[in-house]
Amino acid sequence: MARAAQSRVADVRVGILAYFIGVDRLYCAFHDPTGREQMFPLGPCRETLPRIELLLEVIDGAYSPARRERVFEEFSRGWGRTLLPPPEALATADVLVVIPHSSLHGIPLHAVVYGAGEAPLAVTHGLTYAPSGTLFTRCVSRNAARRFDPVAWRFPRRGGDSAPPPPRSCRAAAVDVKFHATGEYEQVAHLFLDHFEEQQWCGAERIWIKPRRGTPGADVLCIVCHGHYDPEFPGRSGLLLARHPGIGAEITIPIHYGRPFLFRDLPFRFFPTEISVRPGCSPEILTVDELMVGASTGAQLIALIGCSTATGQTSSADDFHSLAHQFLKIGAASVLASLWTLDFDFAKSWAPRFLRQWCDLRLPKALAFRESIREELDENPRPVSEWAVPALLGDWL
Amino acid sequence: MSIWDKFPNYDESELERLVRSAAEILADAGQGSRVPEDALEMSDRAAAEEIRADLSGVAPAATADQVRAALRDPEASRRISLAALDEIRKQPELAAAVEAAYQRQMRKLGGPELLLAAAPLLLLVLRIESFKWKDLQITFGSSSDAVKAAVAGVISGLTGRAGSGS
């Protein structure tokens, strides 16, 4: 079999799609890899916004399974194309950084089947989402992977190449608070853990994974658990974790002349009452709101393998509230998260493909994501509602 | 082991998931009948209004508030859900489809919770008279009568309990 041609990180062509919802129509400013900007008028608001609203309702879990599938398919193979510039413009880039606006946050553009090849954007391009240009710049500037010379970084890596080694440390946790699949969830978490030299395993029943400000964290954080999205109060959305015994973690805070006081770091909300929990489990929820207080991370990648971990809502000044976005705001360079309900069997099949591309072959994350989705769809064709769930957010490298 | 083998001894989590799976299957099957298109998203107040109208033959004095109270009461809601599921499990093909949906739900890492899922399920069972499932015509007419009687009994029990307590 022919060996794949190598590329250099320095030669990756990166374009930016910055969206703007105007009074009458939507616009997309495409900054091509040479830095030239082209403004593309897209569909009229009166046609496009109701379609977006319906898609967002489906993403939030509304309607029956057959109707949800129809809505996803209509977006993927139909009107979703109206949200993109012409294929010949996008063909100039290998990686696209999508900066949505208003209700376009959370729309899975990577699911749009596009161009002559009739392949989804996730397969033709590396793609990452950033809630704003400012946050994207911050993600890029803090990414430890960027300390390596991009001219020397060649991929896919072969023996003797000068590609940087994968990140060193990984912290992982897995728990199923609803049913009895913790063992299976742990297997997926270990797929991540096993790729790194320093492995920090949090165990199944002692998970309190809030990254604390000032404490050294891991390069990669992987959490496999149920996610919970609260459409009424997005800040109360979170990861459904567990702790035994008791609630909250203890933290020591120096108050006066070095005298430490011990506090309970209580969760910001009680566990949602509408969620039934398996017997014997002490569930807790790590919320978006809680991550806003006293949390920071320097991780190169945070993988949130759970449902709706990137689902959220736009707030003032076009800020977007979701778990994944909050992890970017507190310091992560990139986050892998789910735009809606994640199927566990898909996650189990797809995650090792991504890890092979990113850690073993040392592709940039966005290209590793592209290759992993391509492989997955080649071997296990799935409906859009399953394969398009995960998305990369933040830096593409 | 099939989830139906445990009937009616489900824990809270199993019952919630089974009710949700059944409601989703029936919502798809019942498109085009008297089922509201937004049956799965209706508020419990709106669902109670619709259900009360369907119960007028067996419980003419029942009010929408009483129906709503029954759907919100954990024990009453459980009995109503089990009555509806009991009719579904009598149709082997439908039961198998619900079981498959239940297993798919189990493989999701989270997902939206259907608050008071008993309400949409009940409405769907009452409204869908017959539907085509794969090559079979499934008739639900007598099933809805049985469920109506069960719901009327639950409401009457709740009303009596409230009355004796006052």
Side-chain angles (χ1 to χ4, degrees), chain B residues 5 26 41 56 75 87 127 155 164:
Chain B
D5 294 341
L26 287 179
E41 289 79 42
S56 58
E75 184 51 36
E87 297 305 318
R127 287 285 169 87
I155 292 173
S164 64

Side-chain angles (χ1 to χ4, degrees), chain B:
Chain B
M1 189 178 89
S2 163
I3 188 67
W4 295 110
D5 294 341
K6 283 189 75 175
F7 186 90
N9 303 313
Y10 301 120
D11 64 31
E12 198 185 333
S13 172
E14 289 168 333
L15 184 62
E16 176 200 288
R17 199 111 316 221
L18 193 54
V19 166
R20 182 192 163 89
S21 305
E24 290 195 335
I25 290 288
L26 287 179
D28 275 337
Q31 290 302 309
S33 62
R34 288 196 306 132
V35 175
E37 200 180 23
D38 62 347
L40 294 178
E41 289 79 42
M42 287 176 99
S43 69
D44 60 329
R45 187 182 295 276
E49 286 283 356
E50 298 266 348
I51 291 165
R52 187 204 59 78
D54 284 11
L55 292 177
S56 58
V58 290
T63 65
D65 283 344
Q66 286 170 337
V67 174
R68 191 170 172 227
L71 292 167
R72 292 176 80 95
D73 180 89
E75 184 51 36
S77 169
R78 182 180 178 89
R79 285 169 57 198
I80 291 170
S81 298
L82 288 173
L85 291 172
D86 197 19
E87 297 305 318
I88 289 169
R89 77 189 181 112
K90 289 175 186 165
Q91 311 274 357
E93 292 79 12
L94 183 59
V98 171
E99 162 122 40
Y102 177 87
Q103 296 299 342
R104 279 197 301 275
Q105 289 279 348
M106 292 273 287
R107 307 302 288 171
K108 299 290 183 189
L109 285 148
E113 310 297 327
L114 257 190
L115 274 174
L116 301 171
L121 176 63
L122 177 58
L123 183 60
L124 289 158
V125 169
L126 295 180
R127 287 285 169 87
I128 299 174
E129 285 160 4
S130 73
F131 61 91
K132 207 166 163 66
W133 182 259
K134 295 185 177 160
D135 293 332
L136 293 163
Q137 191 69 32
I138 295 179
T139 305
F140 241 33
S142 57
S143 302
S144 78
D145 289 344
V147 175
K148 277 179 194 169
V151 177
V154 170
I155 292 173
S156 141
L158 274 184
T159 314
R161 206 169 71 192
S164 64
S166 60

Side-chain angles (χ1 to χ4, degrees), chain A residues 7-141:
Chain A
S7 306
R8 299 184 308 175
V9 163
D11 296 333
V12 174
R13 301 171 303 163
V14 182
I16 294 178
L17 295 169
Y19 284 89
F20 174 66
I21 298 181
V23 176
D24 295 325
R25 60 174 56 243
L26 284 71
Y27 297 89
C28 177
F30 178 53
H31 302 255
D32 74 15
T34 66
R36 193 168 60 108
E37 182 189 313
Q38 279 179 280
M39 182 67 81
F40 292 98
L42 305 174
C45 290
R46 67 175 182 281
E47 274 178 26
T48 313
L49 293 184
R51 286 169 166 168
I52 290 173
E53 289 306 316
L54 177 63
L55 182 61
L56 288 174
E57 282 177 21
V58 165
I59 284 173
D60 285 356
Y63 306 116
S64 63
R67 184 161 179 208
R68 282 202 291 267
E69 205 57 60
R70 269 201 312 277
V71 172
F72 277 124
E73 281 294 331
E74 284 164 8
F75 166 72
S76 172
R77 296 191 171 273
W79 68 269
R81 293 168 198 182
T82 66
L83 298 179
L84 292 168
E88 53 275 18
L90 298 192
T92 58
D94 304 309
V95 170
L96 296 170
V97 178
V98 177
I99 302 176
H101 176 230
S102 187
S103 49
L104 284 165
H105 286 287
I107 296 293
L109 289 175
H110 60 282
V112 176
V113 173
Y114 194 65
E118 284 292 296
L121 208 56
V123 168
T124 58
H125 290 75
L127 197 141
T128 184
Y129 297 89
S132 69
T134 312
L135 188 54
F136 176 69
T137 310
R138 281 169 52 202
C139 292
V140 166
S141 65

